[in-house]
Amino acid sequence: MADQATAIRNAPLAGLRGGSPAAILTPAAPASRISLRAAPDAVAALSAALGVTLPTRPKTSASSGKRHALWLGPDEWLVIDEDGKDLMAAAASSGVMHSAVDISHRNTAVIVSGPGAEVAVNSGCPQDLSLAIFPVGACSRTILGKAEIVLFRTAEDTFRVECWRSFSPFVFGLLSEGAEDAGH
Amino acid sequence: MLLIYCPYCEEERSELEFRNAGDAHIARPTNIAEISDEEFEAYFFLRDNPKGVIFERWRHIHGCGRFFNAARDTVSDRFVTTYKAGEPKPDLDAEPKTSAQVETYEALEGAAQ
Ligand SMILES: [Zn+2]
């Protein structure tokens, strides 16, 4: 009789550390995430069900504790719960028409932190990341080199770089190069 | 780097976030099975390819994901204006919505030969 195989889930970027004194790179802890689409008349009920007000202005986010709602488009949000709570169930309890897809394991994230964080991200991202244009709490889907990312500024010197897990070695590598350059 | 004003994100973004999606304001036939081959050819294949201002669909694919329309000069690559999908063709003699002038080769170096 064959031995039972045991599936082990490997976190992308597990154990990786990188960056420079100017910009430290840390793989983000596992989190639950949903890709949420909804019409304007469903926003209030979804906000109440998720416990975080879905932002309706471009490039803005809203946070409630460890739960974050990031505006991606006029009817599209990325909702992240760093405590791993069940966002699908929360959205479903809204009782209003919406589309939610669990992307907890499609995405992973790199935290870029330090005085050179802005320079490190800008090494591959064309957006203006000055504090006046991209303040704390700002977020945007954009690109980093060849990979699409969702960029979220969580502090003046800290960015959360969300990317698809298959792109994460590329994203981590490019950010490492940028972090090196940020130190000079 | 070319900057394109996204009417949904309400700011200029790098061209790297966008993708061209062909001519704008092409009306899809209401009953495509009824039209003649010539009418289908005109709808599906034939485009003007003007030298000068062209109305195009663009998609902010690595941003908000939305399709929108743009009036672009095919000689200078300058975006005259951009506007949301579904809005009528704008009057180009009116004030352009795009906030900044895009530097073009012609503006810096004179007309291309
Ligand atoms: Zn946009």
Side-chain angles (χ1 to χ4, degrees):
Chain A
M1 196 169 155
D3 289 336
Q4 197 104 38
T6 309
I8 298 170
R9 173 168 281 152
N10 291 316
L13 307 176
L16 274 181
R17 290 290 179 274
S20 71
I24 298 159
L25 305 184
T26 318
S32 52
R33 304 168 174 90
I34 56 169
S35 167
L36 182 65
R37 305 287 301 266
D41 60 4
V43 168
L46 280 164
S47 297
L50 289 164
V52 59
T53 306
L54 296 176
T56 53
R57 293 289 308 145
K59 241 169 68 171
T60 60
S61 69
S63 294
S64 172
K66 295 254 186 178
R67 187 168 292 189
H68 316 284
L70 282 56
W71 187 98
L72 294 188
D75 64 357
E76 184 178 3
W77 296 267
L78 170 63
V79 186
I80 303 169
D81 189 296
E82 294 185 79
D83 286 331
K85 299 261 172 58
D86 189 349
L87 293 168
M88 291 295 282
S93 73
S94 68
V96 292
M97 176 79 89
H98 66 278
S99 155
V101 179
D102 191 327
I103 54 164
S104 305
H105 302 286
R106 183 198 75 179
N107 276 28
T108 189
V110 181
I111 309 297
V112 187
S113 191
E118 202 176 293
V119 175
V121 175
N122 262 155
S123 67
C125 175
Q127 288 211 20
D128 184 345
L129 300 181
S130 60
L131 275 166
I133 303 295
F134 206 95
V136 176
C139 59
S140 176
R141 183 157 48 200
T142 180
I143 46 165
L144 184 87
K146 296 179 193 174
E148 184 173 284
I149 60 166
V150 172
L151 188 62
F152 178 29
R153 187 173 215 145
T154 54
E156 285 198 9
D157 65 351
T158 306
F159 292 89
R160 182 183 180 94
V161 180
E162 286 270 327
C163 65
W164 291 22
R165 62 178 292 148
S166 56
F167 294 160
S168 62
F170 169 82
V171 167
F172 198 90
L174 187 58
L175 286 171
S176 300
E177 296 290 331
E180 285 292 328
D181 292 345
H184 298 291
Chain B
M1 183 172 296
L2 197 58
L3 295 174
I4 302 172
Y5 183 90
C6 173
Y8 295 94
C9 293
E10 298 173 8
E11 68 175 10
E12 289 185 321
R13 297 284 189 83
S14 159
E15 61 180 306
L16 299 175
E17 293 185 357
F18 296 84
R19 192 166 294 171
N20 180 287
D23 282 21
H25 303 290
I26 305 283
R28 176 179 285 265
T30 49
N31 188 345
I32 210 159
E34 260 179 7
I35 64 174
S36 68
D37 288 352
E38 289 71 26
E39 286 168 326
F40 182 82
E41 180 194 29
Y43 154 68
F44 201 75
F45 295 110
L46 301 185
R47 297 293 182 264
D48 289 338
N49 191 24
K51 182 176 183 180
V53 173
I54 185 172
F55 290 87
E56 294 171 316
R57 301 166 78 224
W58 283 74
R59 188 176 181 200
H60 195 186
I61 186 158
H62 298 303
C64 64
R66 277 332 92 132
F67 283 91
F68 60 92
N69 292 331
R72 182 177 66 90
D73 192 309
T74 59
V75 178
S76 64
D77 259 344
R78 192 171 92 84
F79 279 75
V80 183
T81 189
T82 58
Y83 50 104
K84 289 180 178 176
E87 290 181 358
K89 262 190 196 181
D91 176 10
L92 294 183
D93 295 329
E95 276 294 293
K97 264 190 282 183
T98 310
S99 59
Q101 293 281 321
V102 177
E103 280 184 359
T104 64
Y105 179 84
E106 286 75 15
L108 298 171
E109 307 287 338
Q113 298 301 310

